[in-house]
């Protein structure tokens, strides 16, 4: 069992007077992590301590900060297996997937360590006797609130970009993956000056207390409801907000594609990590010409998935993060059936311990159903039959979210229409997942705003200052 400690003002084991919470293994319900809960007063003191060291870290040469981040990446790599196993124990992710998330996080730390020192401002062409330039500066104190579904990869992105640009950071990991956040913070802290990184643990009340503080930036990846609460808090304090929130990502399947191949893409998109991915496929708009063949092939793939514990290397479908979330997923499936959807496979609560839920395929869905309109975040594929590619695009675009979308088509003109017309941050054509390193996107509407990845994230954590210098009296220097 993991015994988590907080890091405040460079001191491990500080705080935690708000009590204790226990994280349970979603596979069997056994206790995994014992976690201290920070009080609102402790959160305030952590912010004060961060302020005390902010100026010194901001004044550190960019090359020195980058070197520290490289050392931090080395430290994370040294405990990569521990991080992966903690992730699997806390939220159930298959161990191979958890290791992939850790490797992605290490790669992101190294990427930002390379990119940050070569960033700069720009010189402006003004009066010949004056000097005008624009320079990026650290924003100051950054609060980072991260999710449980890919805790290392997401945290490394936000923490790495904030730290290497000269900010001090207070990290609040999800209460469903706190030991993973603790192990990561220990590795990062070993390579950083004391006080530059703090770790606060606990439930939603700790995140709310942190968002209410006088910090300079709040970066959050998680649910739309939490993101909106953070944005409201930041409106009162004046903090800049970066949000990557929920989504209900569509998969558009054109009538000219192989339905068996399309089913393979849909299965990966809907069932990977038990559907607990921000950019998972949640709703499928299938052309009538191939819809039934697609559905049958997807059912076959869903029924072949091997369900089991995340630490079993044979597992393809691990449990959901907890039973509360499973109830949410099953509630959407039950409501869809009541509204006329048909369960083609899955859709039943299994007997036994844990938070397991089967890969589920729903046909006869309508665009107005809750399972289509709202985020499910589980292994559920809801299929809506459409009569044309234009109808599919209209339905895909009609959403309160705007995170990502995938289109499967053999038509270049349809592909061009899709990326131009779909109001989302990321459009993928003929591949549910993938993309070149360093890609970045702006989520839209209920899915948030601001860059969450790529080189552009470095800009999000800096403020640009314009400077104009003239010789006294308008003369020459």
């Amino acid at each position: 069992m993991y015994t988590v400690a907080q890091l405040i003002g460079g001191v491990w084991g500080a705080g935690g007077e708000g009590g204790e919470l226990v994280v349970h293994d979603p596979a069997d319900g056994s206790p995994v992590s014992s976690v201290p809960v920070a009080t609102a007063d402790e959160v305030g003191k952590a912010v004060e301590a961060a302020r005390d060291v902010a100026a010194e870290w901001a004044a550190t040469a960019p090359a020195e900060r980058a070197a520290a981040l490289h050392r931090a990446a080395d430290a994370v790599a040294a405990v990569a297996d521990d991080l992966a196993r903690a992730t699997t124990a806390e939220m159930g992710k298959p161990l191979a997937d958890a290791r992939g998330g850790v490797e992605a996080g290490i790669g992101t730390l190294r990427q930002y360590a390379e990119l940050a020192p070569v960033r700069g401002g720009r010189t402006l062409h003004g009066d010949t006797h004056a000097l005008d330039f624009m320079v990026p500066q650290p924003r100051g104190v950054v609060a980072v609130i991260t999710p449980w579904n890919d805790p290392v990869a997401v945290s490394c992105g936000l923490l790495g970009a904030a730290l290497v640009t000269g900010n001090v950071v207070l990290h609040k990991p999800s209460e469903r993956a706190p030991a993973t956040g603790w192990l990561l913070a220990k590795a990062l802290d070993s390579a950083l000056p004391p006080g530059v990184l703090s770790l606060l643990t606990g439930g939603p009340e700790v995140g709310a207390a942190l968002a209410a503080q006088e910090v300079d930036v709040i970066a959050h990846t998680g649910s739309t409801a939490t993101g909106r609460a953070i944005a409201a808090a930041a409106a009162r304090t004046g903090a800049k907000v970066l949000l990557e929130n929920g989504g209900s990502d569509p998969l558009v399947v054109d009538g000219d594609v192989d339905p068996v191949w399309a089913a393979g893409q849909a299965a990966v998109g809907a069932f990977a990590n038990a559907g607990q991915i921000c950019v998972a496929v949640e709703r499928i708009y299938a052309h009538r010409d191939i819809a039934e063949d697609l559905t049958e092939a997807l059912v076959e793939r869903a029924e072949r998935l091997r369900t089991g514990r995340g630490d079993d290397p044979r597992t393809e479908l691990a449990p959901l993060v907890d039973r509360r979330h499973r109830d949410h997923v099953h509630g959407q499936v039950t409501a869809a059936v009541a509204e006329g959807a048909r369960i083609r496979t899955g859709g039943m609560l299994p007997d036994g311990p844990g938070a397991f839920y089967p890969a589920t395929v729903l046909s006869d869905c309508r665009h107005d159903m809750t399972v289509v309109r709202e985020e499910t975040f589980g292994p559920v594929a809801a299929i809506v039959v459409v009569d044309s590619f234009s109808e599919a695009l209209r339905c895909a675009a009609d959403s309160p979210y705007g995170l990502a979308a995938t289109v499967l088509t053999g038509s270049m003109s349809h592909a061009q229409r899709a990326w131009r017309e779909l109001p989302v941050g990321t459009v993928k054509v003929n591949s549910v997942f993938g993309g070149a390193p360093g890609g970045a996107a702006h989520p839209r509407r209920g899915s948030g705003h601001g860059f969450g990845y790529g080189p552009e994230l470095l800009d999000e954590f800096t403020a640009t200052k314009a400077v104009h210098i003239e010789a006294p009296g308008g003369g020459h220097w």
Side-chain angles (χ1 to χ4, degrees):
M1 186 167 175
Y2 299 99
T3 302
V4 173
Q6 295 192 127
L7 172 63
I8 298 176
V11 178
W12 280 104
E17 296 301 319
E20 177 192 53
L21 63 84
V22 177
V23 178
H24 296 87
D25 188 325
D28 59 16
S30 62
V32 172
S33 307
S34 171
V35 188
V37 177
T39 65
D41 182 60
E42 290 167 358
V43 172
K45 289 179 179 177
V47 173
E48 291 177 7
R51 285 276 177 218
D52 289 342
V53 299
E56 184 178 355
W57 182 240
T60 302
E64 291 183 33
R65 296 197 300 256
L69 196 61
H70 268 304
R71 293 193 298 272
D74 292 339
V76 174
V79 295
D81 192 62
D82 294 338
L83 283 163
R85 291 188 180 280
T87 299
T88 296
E90 290 189 310
M91 56 77 54
K93 183 192 289 284
L95 190 55
D97 291 351
R99 286 178 172 134
V102 175
E103 290 301 320
I106 295 167
T108 300
L109 292 175
R110 298 199 190 284
Q111 179 190 72
Y112 288 142
E114 294 293 332
L115 290 173
V118 298
R119 293 170 66 250
R122 58 190 177 96
T123 302
L124 305 176
H125 298 292
D127 191 284
T128 56
H129 302 301
L131 177 63
D132 292 86
F133 58 94
M134 299 173 69
V135 60
Q137 294 182 315
R139 286 187 173 269
V141 176
V142 174
V144 173
I145 303 173
T146 54
W148 49 264
N149 62 318
D150 201 357
V152 178
V154 174
S155 298
C156 283
L158 294 174
L159 297 175
L163 290 165
V164 81
T165 48
N167 301 281
V168 294
V169 176
L170 302 115
H171 180 208
K172 193 275 177 187
S174 168
E175 64 274 18
R176 292 171 172 173
T180 306
W182 167 64
L183 290 171
L184 177 62
K186 286 206 300 180
L188 296 174
D189 178 60
S190 69
L192 296 168
V196 170
L197 175 67
S198 292
L199 179 73
L200 297 164
T201 56
E205 71 283 0
V206 179
L210 183 55
Q213 288 291 321
E214 298 285 340
V215 297
D216 300 294
V217 181
I218 307 173
H220 167 260
T221 299
S223 72
T224 294
T226 301
R228 286 173 174 163
I230 288 171
R236 293 188 289 271
T237 65
K240 176 180 178 174
V241 179
L242 296 176
L243 300 175
E244 186 190 316
N245 294 334
S248 181
D249 286 2
L251 172 66
V252 172
V253 186
D254 210 349
D256 63 350
V257 302
D258 176 2
V260 176
W261 167 76
Q265 291 287 316
V268 171
F271 305 141
N273 199 29
Q276 299 169 125
I277 302 174
C278 297
V279 291
V281 168
E282 300 248 349
R283 50 197 173 111
I284 301 170
Y285 299 101
H287 195 285
R288 190 174 300 278
D289 290 349
I290 53 92
E292 185 57 30
D293 290 340
L294 165 70
T295 302
E296 291 177 358
L298 183 55
V299 167
E300 181 182 352
R301 284 182 172 269
E303 292 177 344
R304 290 206 312 260
L305 292 174
R306 184 181 179 91
T307 301
R309 296 179 59 96
D311 54 9
D312 183 340
R314 299 168 295 176
T315 294
E316 297 171 287
L317 186 70
L320 296 175
V321 67
D322 58 28
R323 287 202 167 197
R324 182 182 67 175
H325 184 52
R326 187 177 74 169
D327 290 344
H328 160 75
V329 172
H330 187 59
Q332 284 203 0
V333 171
T334 302
V337 172
E339 293 176 291
R342 176 185 170 195
I343 296 177
R344 301 294 289 267
T345 190
M348 301 293 290
L349 289 174
D351 296 329
F356 292 95
Y357 198 77
T360 300
V361 179
L362 301 175
S363 63
D364 303 333
C365 293
R366 299 188 312 276
H367 179 61
D368 61 352
M369 289 180 174
T370 299
V371 74
V372 176
R373 300 291 296 169
E374 296 297 327
E375 184 175 45
T376 303
F377 219 62
V380 179
I383 301 173
V384 178
V385 178
V386 294
D387 291 310
S388 67
F389 186 75
S390 293
E391 181 186 356
L393 283 188
R394 285 197 304 272
C395 290
D398 179 25
S399 172
Y401 301 103
L403 196 55
T406 304
V407 176
L408 308 181
T409 181
S411 165
M412 180 58 77
S413 64
H414 283 182
Q416 296 279 9
R417 277 189 62 193
W419 74 257
R420 286 193 173 95
E421 296 179 16
L422 289 172
V424 298
T426 302
V427 177
K428 297 159 286 184
V429 178
N430 293 333
S431 179
V432 169
F433 297 135
H442 265 141
R444 305 183 190 185
R445 296 183 286 196
S447 293
H449 55 78
F451 286 106
Y453 303 95
E456 289 82 1
L457 183 56
L458 298 170
D459 297 328
E460 297 281 13
F461 286 117
T462 57
T464 301
K465 180 176 290 184
V467 180
H468 173 76
I469 301 176
E470 282 190 20
H476 299 279
W477 286 101

